[in-house]
Structure formats: C-alpha cells, structure tokens
Amino acid sequence: NAGVMQNPRHLVRRRGQEARLRCSPMKGHSHVYWYRQLPEEGLKFMVYLQKENIIDESGMPKERFSAEFPKEGPSILRIQQVVRGDSAAYFCASASGRNTEAFFGQGTRLTVV
Amino acid sequence: QQQVKQSPQSLIVQKGGIPIINCAYENTAFDYFPWYQQFPGKGPALLIAIRPDVSEKKEGRFTISFNKSAKQFSLHIMDSQPGDSATYFCAASMTSGTYKYIFGTGTRLKVLA
C-alpha cells in the first residue's frame, strides 16, 4: 500500500475552516475510493471515483463534503466549514479497474480544534 | 442488511496461540470477503481474502474459514507472534459492482511475548 500517497499525513483545522485532503493513486490506477475511520471504529465508505467522474457517493454526507478526481493530478476530498465531528482518519484506496483489488494509502488524520 | 458484524472487539493471546476472529453478514449478494491488518498510524493492508465458492483458504499462518449457509467467516492466525499485534478488520463487497467495502468494526489483537 506504500504506492498510494496521501497528504498531508496530519492536518489540524479550526472549526469553520476548510480541509483539503489529497490522494495520489498508484501508477496505472484510475479508480479511487475514500473511506473515513472514526476513533475506535471501522472504516466507512464515502465515495468512489474514476478519472473525472463520481461513480458512487452514497457514503458522503449531504453537506460540506465534496470529492473530485481530475484528469490530471490527485484526487481531492474537500470538507468545508469543518466541525469537531469531522475529526477522523481519512483513507483513500486506488485500483486499476472497477473489479480489481484496491490498495490503501496511509491516511490523513484530521483534527478539528 | 449492509452490516458486517465482527467479534470480539479485543483479544489477548500468548505467543504461539491461535486467535480466532469472527464475522457475520446478512446480505447474500456479498461475494468477496477480505481481511485487513492495520498497525497504529498506518493504512489497512490486505492479508487474505476469500470468495463464497470455497470453505477455507490458507496463506502462510493465516487461514479464513467460510460458512456460506451460516453467513459467517473467520480468521485464524496460527503460531501467533508479538508482531501480529494489530487491529484486524473483516470486510465484504459485491464484486459484480465495485470494490466498495463494508467493514467490520475491528478486533484489536495483542500477542504477548
């Protein structure tokens, strides 16, 4: 999973600020999944994207959260007006195809103060 | 119906023991069941995975047992070592769709030296 790069590894934001989390998939991978892990809990699916398309966003909160995976550059998970409850580890995973195994990055740990 | 229930929440064994972690699911459309290992501060790493057409799969010291009729599967770690101390997650997905995983809540394993 070292091939999936997430940055920053740690992010501290004050309530009301915006958080931008980046995920660079493994070389040759055009499919990206985002998951959120709250303390002491399992990972919860948020969104699945292919290049320039959102395929499944059934796990995304309806407000303040958005994701993109542009033709060039990393996938971005954006959280506007962060609240304390957004504090969590956010993981992305990438895959080479729709029906192939996904590999996880090391995560971004967001702390909202 | 989308849940995967995992037990126990935590487990302590002596070195050389065989910890067993159990998971149960409801959705019979699930057809891919991976186990992930996660060390503190790291992303989940795939350990071993099974599909419902087999009842057991071994990779090194890790074995998955699968009971399709009971909708249960379990992870056994043979000859456990202190280096196996980590959090283990089971997951399920429908690979006819994507690798969007439903994760269990995790089992924190500690192997005593």
Side-chain angles (χ1 to χ4, degrees), chain B residues 18 33 35 47-51 54-66 74-79:
Chain B
I18 305 177
F33 303 90
W35 283 90
L47 260 183
I48 185 173
I50 197 167
R51 297 186 186 275
V54 297
S55 59
E56 186 176 279
K57 183 175 181 180
K58 287 185 182 180
E59 284 187 8
R61 294 184 295 107
F62 300 95
T63 299
I64 299 179
S65 298
F66 189 85
S74 59
L75 176 71
H76 302 233
I77 305 175
M78 307 301 176
D79 186 27

mmCIF file of all heavy atoms in Angstrom, chain B residues 18 33 35 47-51 54-66 74-79:
data_model
loop_
_atom_site.group_PDB
_atom_site.id
_atom_site.type_symbol
_atom_site.label_atom_id
_atom_site.label_comp_id
_atom_site.label_asym_id
_atom_site.label_seq_id
_atom_site.Cartn_x
_atom_site.Cartn_y
_atom_site.Cartn_z
ATOM 1 N N ILE B 18 -3.582 -19.406 18.996
ATOM 2 C CA ILE B 18 -4.319 -19.284 17.733
ATOM 3 C C ILE B 18 -5.525 -18.374 17.965
ATOM 4 O O ILE B 18 -6.617 -18.845 18.306
ATOM 5 C CB ILE B 18 -4.776 -20.660 17.219
ATOM 6 C CG1 ILE B 18 -3.576 -21.620 17.091
ATOM 7 C CG2 ILE B 18 -5.476 -20.504 15.852
ATOM 8 C CD1 ILE B 18 -3.945 -23.015 16.671
ATOM 9 N N PHE B 33 -14.730 -11.471 0.422
ATOM 10 C CA PHE B 33 -14.572 -11.242 1.853
ATOM 11 C C PHE B 33 -13.080 -11.159 2.191
ATOM 12 O O PHE B 33 -12.422 -12.158 2.397
ATOM 13 C CB PHE B 33 -15.223 -12.376 2.647
ATOM 14 C CG PHE B 33 -16.686 -12.558 2.329
ATOM 15 C CD1 PHE B 33 -17.091 -13.409 1.323
ATOM 16 C CD2 PHE B 33 -17.642 -11.850 3.044
ATOM 17 C CE1 PHE B 33 -18.435 -13.566 1.019
ATOM 18 C CE2 PHE B 33 -18.992 -12.001 2.750
ATOM 19 C CZ PHE B 33 -19.390 -12.859 1.740
ATOM 20 N N TRP B 35 -9.752 -9.791 4.558
ATOM 21 C CA TRP B 35 -9.329 -9.419 5.903
ATOM 22 C C TRP B 35 -8.164 -8.443 5.766
ATOM 23 O O TRP B 35 -7.237 -8.663 4.974
ATOM 24 C CB TRP B 35 -8.873 -10.643 6.694
ATOM 25 C CG TRP B 35 -9.999 -11.475 7.195
ATOM 26 C CD1 TRP B 35 -10.592 -12.518 6.548
ATOM 27 C CD2 TRP B 35 -10.671 -11.342 8.447
ATOM 28 N NE1 TRP B 35 -11.595 -13.041 7.322
ATOM 29 C CE2 TRP B 35 -11.671 -12.348 8.494
ATOM 30 C CE3 TRP B 35 -10.536 -10.481 9.542
ATOM 31 C CZ2 TRP B 35 -12.524 -12.511 9.589
ATOM 32 C CZ3 TRP B 35 -11.376 -10.649 10.623
ATOM 33 C CH2 TRP B 35 -12.359 -11.650 10.646
ATOM 34 N N LEU B 47 -4.608 -8.827 3.963
ATOM 35 C CA LEU B 47 -3.961 -10.039 4.480
ATOM 36 C C LEU B 47 -4.289 -11.231 3.607
ATOM 37 O O LEU B 47 -3.430 -11.946 3.127
ATOM 38 C CB LEU B 47 -4.484 -10.341 5.884
ATOM 39 C CG LEU B 47 -3.660 -9.956 7.086
ATOM 40 C CD1 LEU B 47 -4.377 -10.425 8.343
ATOM 41 C CD2 LEU B 47 -2.265 -10.559 7.022
ATOM 42 N N ILE B 48 -5.574 -11.460 3.461
ATOM 43 C CA ILE B 48 -6.066 -12.658 2.788
ATOM 44 C C ILE B 48 -7.526 -12.402 2.458
ATOM 45 O O ILE B 48 -8.198 -11.638 3.145
ATOM 46 C CB ILE B 48 -5.890 -13.895 3.709
ATOM 47 C CG1 ILE B 48 -6.278 -15.188 3.009
ATOM 48 C CG2 ILE B 48 -6.643 -13.726 5.027
ATOM 49 C CD1 ILE B 48 -5.950 -16.442 3.831
ATOM 50 N N ALA B 49 -8.027 -13.045 1.403
ATOM 51 C CA ALA B 49 -9.418 -12.846 1.008
ATOM 52 C C ALA B 49 -9.989 -14.156 0.505
ATOM 53 O O ALA B 49 -9.245 -15.038 0.052
ATOM 54 C CB ALA B 49 -9.519 -11.767 -0.061
ATOM 55 N N ILE B 50 -11.316 -14.268 0.558
ATOM 56 C CA ILE B 50 -11.969 -15.497 0.132
ATOM 57 C C ILE B 50 -13.251 -15.170 -0.614
ATOM 58 O O ILE B 50 -13.861 -14.120 -0.383
ATOM 59 C CB ILE B 50 -12.252 -16.404 1.359
ATOM 60 C CG1 ILE B 50 -12.531 -17.844 0.929
ATOM 61 C CG2 ILE B 50 -13.410 -15.846 2.204
ATOM 62 C CD1 ILE B 50 -12.509 -18.824 2.103
ATOM 63 N N ARG B 51 -13.631 -16.067 -1.520
ATOM 64 C CA ARG B 51 -14.918 -15.962 -2.197
ATOM 65 C C ARG B 51 -15.798 -17.113 -1.729
ATOM 66 O O ARG B 51 -15.291 -18.132 -1.259
ATOM 67 C CB ARG B 51 -14.713 -15.999 -3.713
ATOM 68 C CG ARG B 51 -13.907 -14.818 -4.220
ATOM 69 C CD ARG B 51 -13.827 -14.756 -5.733
ATOM 70 N NE ARG B 51 -12.928 -13.689 -6.171
ATOM 71 C CZ ARG B 51 -13.316 -12.422 -6.307
ATOM 72 N NH1 ARG B 51 -14.557 -12.068 -6.070
ATOM 73 N NH2 ARG B 51 -12.446 -11.509 -6.703
ATOM 74 N N VAL B 54 -15.462 -21.353 -1.898
ATOM 75 C CA VAL B 54 -14.548 -22.221 -1.139
ATOM 76 C C VAL B 54 -14.842 -22.078 0.343
ATOM 77 O O VAL B 54 -15.355 -21.051 0.785
ATOM 78 C CB VAL B 54 -13.063 -21.897 -1.420
ATOM 79 C CG1 VAL B 54 -12.714 -22.134 -2.859
ATOM 80 C CG2 VAL B 54 -12.744 -20.478 -1.023
ATOM 81 N N SER B 55 -14.544 -23.119 1.107
ATOM 82 C CA SER B 55 -14.854 -23.089 2.539
ATOM 83 C C SER B 55 -13.638 -22.729 3.387
ATOM 84 O O SER B 55 -13.773 -22.404 4.563
ATOM 85 C CB SER B 55 -15.391 -24.451 2.986
ATOM 86 O OG SER B 55 -14.418 -25.447 2.730
ATOM 87 N N GLU B 56 -12.451 -22.790 2.796
ATOM 88 C CA GLU B 56 -11.251 -22.474 3.563
ATOM 89 C C GLU B 56 -10.144 -22.014 2.617
ATOM 90 O O GLU B 56 -10.011 -22.523 1.506
ATOM 91 C CB GLU B 56 -10.782 -23.698 4.357
ATOM 92 C CG GLU B 56 -9.620 -23.426 5.289
ATOM 93 C CD GLU B 56 -9.250 -24.635 6.126
ATOM 94 O OE1 GLU B 56 -9.911 -24.879 7.141
ATOM 95 O OE2 GLU B 56 -8.304 -25.333 5.733
ATOM 96 N N LYS B 57 -9.360 -21.063 3.119
ATOM 97 C CA LYS B 57 -8.208 -20.600 2.345
ATOM 98 C C LYS B 57 -7.073 -20.309 3.298
ATOM 99 O O LYS B 57 -7.291 -19.681 4.341
ATOM 100 C CB LYS B 57 -8.555 -19.355 1.542
ATOM 101 C CG LYS B 57 -7.423 -18.867 0.651
ATOM 102 C CD LYS B 57 -7.873 -17.709 -0.204
ATOM 103 C CE LYS B 57 -6.747 -17.225 -1.113
ATOM 104 N NZ LYS B 57 -7.191 -16.093 -1.953
ATOM 105 N N LYS B 58 -5.869 -20.784 2.948
ATOM 106 C CA LYS B 58 -4.697 -20.567 3.795
ATOM 107 C C LYS B 58 -3.644 -19.780 3.037
ATOM 108 O O LYS B 58 -3.378 -20.046 1.877
ATOM 109 C CB LYS B 58 -4.078 -21.914 4.199
ATOM 110 C CG LYS B 58 -4.858 -22.696 5.201
ATOM 111 C CD LYS B 58 -4.099 -23.941 5.619
ATOM 112 C CE LYS B 58 -4.911 -24.766 6.594
ATOM 113 N NZ LYS B 58 -4.206 -25.971 7.019
ATOM 114 N N GLU B 59 -3.053 -18.819 3.759
ATOM 115 C CA GLU B 59 -1.879 -18.139 3.216
ATOM 116 C C GLU B 59 -0.901 -17.956 4.363
ATOM 117 O O GLU B 59 -1.132 -17.144 5.261
ATOM 118 C CB GLU B 59 -2.260 -16.795 2.586
ATOM 119 C CG GLU B 59 -2.920 -16.927 1.237
ATOM 120 C CD GLU B 59 -3.161 -15.612 0.529
ATOM 121 O OE1 GLU B 59 -2.690 -14.563 1.004
ATOM 122 O OE2 GLU B 59 -3.859 -15.636 -0.504
ATOM 123 N N GLY B 60 0.147 -18.752 4.341
ATOM 124 C CA GLY B 60 1.116 -18.705 5.436
ATOM 125 C C GLY B 60 0.459 -19.112 6.738
ATOM 126 O O GLY B 60 -0.174 -20.164 6.836
ATOM 127 N N ARG B 61 0.553 -18.249 7.754
ATOM 128 C CA ARG B 61 -0.036 -18.572 9.059
ATOM 129 C C ARG B 61 -1.496 -18.111 9.182
ATOM 130 O O ARG B 61 -2.115 -18.294 10.229
ATOM 131 C CB ARG B 61 0.798 -17.901 10.157
ATOM 132 C CG ARG B 61 2.215 -18.456 10.271
ATOM 133 C CD ARG B 61 2.990 -17.845 11.432
ATOM 134 N NE ARG B 61 3.243 -16.420 11.276
ATOM 135 C CZ ARG B 61 2.627 -15.471 11.974
ATOM 136 N NH1 ARG B 61 1.728 -15.786 12.891
ATOM 137 N NH2 ARG B 61 2.932 -14.198 11.778
ATOM 138 N N PHE B 62 -2.036 -17.529 8.135
ATOM 139 C CA PHE B 62 -3.401 -17.002 8.174
ATOM 140 C C PHE B 62 -4.352 -17.916 7.410
ATOM 141 O O PHE B 62 -4.070 -18.324 6.288
ATOM 142 C CB PHE B 62 -3.430 -15.592 7.575
ATOM 143 C CG PHE B 62 -2.555 -14.614 8.302
ATOM 144 C CD1 PHE B 62 -1.258 -14.360 7.870
ATOM 145 C CD2 PHE B 62 -3.007 -13.963 9.441
ATOM 146 C CE1 PHE B 62 -0.436 -13.470 8.553
ATOM 147 C CE2 PHE B 62 -2.190 -13.068 10.129
ATOM 148 C CZ PHE B 62 -0.908 -12.818 9.682
ATOM 149 N N THR B 63 -5.489 -18.214 8.051
ATOM 150 C CA THR B 63 -6.496 -19.082 7.442
ATOM 151 C C THR B 63 -7.854 -18.416 7.571
ATOM 152 O O THR B 63 -8.209 -17.920 8.641
ATOM 153 C CB THR B 63 -6.536 -20.448 8.133
ATOM 154 O OG1 THR B 63 -5.268 -21.097 7.991
ATOM 155 C CG2 THR B 63 -7.624 -21.331 7.538
ATOM 156 N N ILE B 64 -8.609 -18.405 6.482
ATOM 157 C CA ILE B 64 -10.008 -17.979 6.526
ATOM 158 C C ILE B 64 -10.871 -19.233 6.430
ATOM 159 O O ILE B 64 -10.673 -20.061 5.532
ATOM 160 C CB ILE B 64 -10.389 -17.053 5.359
ATOM 161 C CG1 ILE B 64 -9.564 -15.771 5.363
ATOM 162 C CG2 ILE B 64 -11.869 -16.689 5.453
ATOM 163 C CD1 ILE B 64 -9.914 -14.853 4.195
ATOM 164 N N SER B 65 -11.832 -19.336 7.342
ATOM 165 C CA SER B 65 -12.867 -20.361 7.233
ATOM 166 C C SER B 65 -14.161 -19.667 6.846
ATOM 167 O O SER B 65 -14.488 -18.620 7.405
ATOM 168 C CB SER B 65 -13.047 -21.078 8.574
ATOM 169 O OG SER B 65 -11.857 -21.738 8.931
ATOM 170 N N PHE B 66 -14.886 -20.253 5.902
ATOM 171 C CA PHE B 66 -16.093 -19.606 5.390
ATOM 172 C C PHE B 66 -17.259 -20.572 5.458
ATOM 173 O O PHE B 66 -17.168 -21.717 4.995
ATOM 174 C CB PHE B 66 -15.863 -19.158 3.945
ATOM 175 C CG PHE B 66 -16.966 -18.296 3.397
ATOM 176 C CD1 PHE B 66 -16.958 -16.932 3.627
ATOM 177 C CD2 PHE B 66 -18.000 -18.841 2.671
ATOM 178 C CE1 PHE B 66 -17.972 -16.129 3.155
ATOM 179 C CE2 PHE B 66 -19.014 -18.049 2.178
ATOM 180 C CZ PHE B 66 -19.001 -16.684 2.418
ATOM 181 N N SER B 74 -14.383 -16.514 9.364
ATOM 182 C CA SER B 74 -13.492 -16.241 10.482
ATOM 183 C C SER B 74 -12.032 -16.283 10.027
ATOM 184 O O SER B 74 -11.696 -16.926 9.030
ATOM 185 C CB SER B 74 -13.720 -17.238 11.617
ATOM 186 O OG SER B 74 -13.510 -18.556 11.155
ATOM 187 N N LEU B 75 -11.218 -15.587 10.791
ATOM 188 C CA LEU B 75 -9.772 -15.546 10.557
ATOM 189 C C LEU B 75 -9.083 -16.270 11.699
ATOM 190 O O LEU B 75 -9.366 -15.992 12.861
ATOM 191 C CB LEU B 75 -9.277 -14.103 10.470
ATOM 192 C CG LEU B 75 -7.773 -13.905 10.315
ATOM 193 C CD1 LEU B 75 -7.309 -14.332 8.930
ATOM 194 C CD2 LEU B 75 -7.387 -12.449 10.587
ATOM 195 N N HIS B 76 -8.185 -17.187 11.350
ATOM 196 C CA HIS B 76 -7.369 -17.880 12.338
ATOM 197 C C HIS B 76 -5.907 -17.510 12.073
ATOM 198 O O HIS B 76 -5.468 -17.556 10.917
ATOM 199 C CB HIS B 76 -7.505 -19.400 12.199
ATOM 200 C CG HIS B 76 -8.904 -19.901 12.336
ATOM 201 N ND1 HIS B 76 -9.243 -20.897 13.225
ATOM 202 C CD2 HIS B 76 -10.054 -19.552 11.710
ATOM 203 C CE1 HIS B 76 -10.541 -21.154 13.123
ATOM 204 N NE2 HIS B 76 -11.051 -20.340 12.205
ATOM 205 N N ILE B 77 -5.192 -17.199 13.142
ATOM 206 C CA ILE B 77 -3.763 -16.897 12.988
ATOM 207 C C ILE B 77 -2.981 -17.973 13.722
ATOM 208 O O ILE B 77 -3.019 -18.052 14.959
ATOM 209 C CB ILE B 77 -3.410 -15.506 13.561
ATOM 210 C CG1 ILE B 77 -4.297 -14.435 12.917
ATOM 211 C CG2 ILE B 77 -1.931 -15.195 13.300
ATOM 212 C CD1 ILE B 77 -4.099 -13.041 13.501
ATOM 213 N N MET B 78 -2.318 -18.815 12.968
ATOM 214 C CA MET B 78 -1.552 -19.927 13.557
ATOM 215 C C MET B 78 -0.235 -19.418 14.130
ATOM 216 O O MET B 78 0.358 -18.467 13.588
ATOM 217 C CB MET B 78 -1.265 -20.985 12.493
ATOM 218 C CG MET B 78 -2.475 -21.478 11.744
ATOM 219 S SD MET B 78 -3.693 -22.194 12.878
ATOM 220 C CE MET B 78 -5.023 -22.548 11.739
ATOM 221 N N ASP B 79 0.203 -20.060 15.216
ATOM 222 C CA ASP B 79 1.504 -19.743 15.810
ATOM 223 C C ASP B 79 1.698 -18.227 15.908
ATOM 224 O O ASP B 79 2.651 -17.656 15.373
ATOM 225 C CB ASP B 79 2.625 -20.359 14.959
ATOM 226 C CG ASP B 79 3.988 -20.203 15.597
ATOM 227 O OD1 ASP B 79 4.052 -20.117 16.844
ATOM 228 O OD2 ASP B 79 4.986 -20.129 14.855
#
